[in-house]
Amino acid sequence: MLAALVRSLRDFELAEDALQEAFAIALRRWPSAGVPVRPPEWLVTVARNRAIDRLRRRTNARAKYEQFAAGAVTVSTVDFPLETLEEVGDERLSLIFTCAHPSLAPEAQVSLTLQAVTGLTAAEIARAFLVPESTMAQRLVRAKRKIRDAGIAFQVPPDEQLPDRLASVLAVLYLIFREGYAATAGEELIRPQLCAEAIRLGKLLATLMPDEPEVLGLVALMLLHDSRRDARTSAGGDLVLMEDQDRSRWDAAEIAEGTALLDRALRHRRAGPYQLQAAIAALHTAAERPEDTDWRQIAALYDDLLRLAPTPAAALNRAIAVAMAEGPERGLSLLDKVQGLDDFHLWHAARADLLRRADRPGEAAREYRRALDLARNEREREFLERRLAEAIR
């Protein structure tokens, strides 16, 4: 609904405010009047009317009002029954490409899309970027106003412009998936609807750009991770580490689809970060038992990844892989060289786990406490509390 309104109004803030007013009206009216037959259409219509009222009151926007009021929001903008790009344009994919416009700074492109397409709050996005919430809120406001003031077109760009925006679009899709796969905050570890939406949009993008190996690599990566989703939590919703998961619950169809897409991407012989991460995920899913995992090959792939995309997160994961292959002390020595993650709870949790494996419970307990101070997801906090209790026995 937001995507439909943004496309019609060409103004993020106006669309958001109008839609929130429509939600408020629905909450007041629907309990007594009943829910309309087509709630999205009702909400968009009310939001559109609210937006028109606002535009009327803007004395310096008369021309814009007359241009807008002459049009209409059609049903197709709020109804997405088809899956192929050729049959119907996808409003959310258009919104992603709008947010990925090169006139916006890269961090603004990703942040704005996460809010506009997935509905993540400024606080959730700030945690993903490890910045204060106030900083993120200001970044989002500036980006929305720049799109409005520059008159950036709300559409999937022509073919020749797609590659220039591809890196940002891929980054956004993966962040959407990651927030669904391991929520940064809240009571649930997994938000399946975000995982499904990221995969759906990734497949749509692969239809649009079938010869881009990194698009295929990203879709493969998301499918391979998603194949383990059901085994990542217990019946009560508790976090289950990969080594303790019931591998019979892994989705064999998703593994097969992801592996096939990865093979197709690698045939282009243009390896990129998403293809390498998908190859790592494929090695995990290929192991029938935890002890069958080829940790040395995984560590070697992380070496390749660090040469292409030297990020602290990749260095963290490489240290864990080396620890599993060569022992916890070796992993700790590498982990302690990683810079920029002191406020990242997973860095402390990883260090605590390696200290636990190295039979250094006192040091492990300190790291578990630090991870607990930083973690915001309740399921992760419960897991860390259990590990802390085991360390101080």
Side-chain angles (χ1 to χ4, degrees), residues 85-86 93 97 156-159 162 166 169 201-212 215:
L85 200 66
E86 294 81 8
L93 192 59
F97 274 103
V156 175
D159 290 351
L162 288 174
L166 183 58
V169 171
L201 289 171
K203 289 181 176 181
L204 200 61
L205 186 59
T207 301
L208 187 65
M209 307 178 74
D211 295 321
E212 282 291 341
V215 177

Side-chain angles (χ1 to χ4, degrees), residues 379-390:
R379 294 301 184 178
E380 286 185 320
R381 289 182 57 80
E382 291 167 2
F383 174 82
L384 292 168
E385 286 169 352
R386 291 196 298 271
R387 281 296 169 89
L388 174 59
E390 293 170 1

